[in-house]
Amino acid sequence: MEHLEGTAELARQFSDAFGFGDWGYCCGKLHDIGKYSQKFQQRIRGSEVRVDHATAGAKACHEKGGFYTALAYCIAGHHAGLPDTGERSSSDLYCQTGLYFL
C-alpha cells in the first residue's frame, strides 16, 4: 500500500501542473491493483506463470466509463507506454482492455 500511496501522490503532483491532480492520484492508486490477484501472488512466491498486472486497473476504469476511460489509457500504459495510434494486434494491451477507440 505504501507504493500505491507514494505513486498516487507523485502522480497528483505531476498532473497538478495541468489542473488534473485528482486524476493523477486516481491513476497512481489503481495502476498496480493487478498485483493483488491470486496469480500475481503465486508469481511473487516463485511460480513461473506469466502474469499481466498492468491491465487490471485499466479494465476497472474502462468498465466504469466516463472520464475513467481516459485514466484507463494511463494505467494500461504504465509499463508499455501510451499508444501511438498505429496498427493494433490482438496481443496489443489496448485491444485486450477494450481501449481501442482512439
Side-chain angles (χ1 to χ4, degrees):
M1 295 301 283
E2 186 176 318
H3 168 67
L4 294 179
E5 184 62 29
T7 303
E9 286 301 332
L10 281 174
R12 179 196 312 270
Q13 290 172 20
F14 293 138
S15 55
D16 267 344
F18 49 88
F20 289 91
D22 289 344
W23 290 28
Y25 184 86
C26 186
C27 284
K29 279 293 208 178
L30 295 174
H31 83 283
D32 272 349
I33 64 171
K35 289 184 176 180
Y36 293 93
S37 72
Q38 184 176 355
K39 278 188 171 182
F40 192 87
Q41 294 300 306
Q42 291 170 349
R43 173 76 175 151
I44 62 174
R45 288 178 175 76
S47 170
E48 296 296 320
V49 65
R50 292 185 53 119
V51 180
D52 165 27
H53 79 279
T55 59
K59 286 179 181 178
C61 286
H62 181 64
E63 289 169 3
K64 189 158 179 69
F67 84 91
Y68 288 96
T69 303
L71 302 183
Y73 275 95
C74 299
I75 295 167
H78 86 271
H79 285 292
L82 297 174
D84 64 6
T85 66
E87 291 185 26
R88 294 174 178 87
S89 69
S90 61
S91 63
D92 185 324
L93 181 62
Y94 296 91
C95 287
Q96 293 172 21
T97 59
L99 300 173
Y100 38 75
F101 58 83
L102 277 179

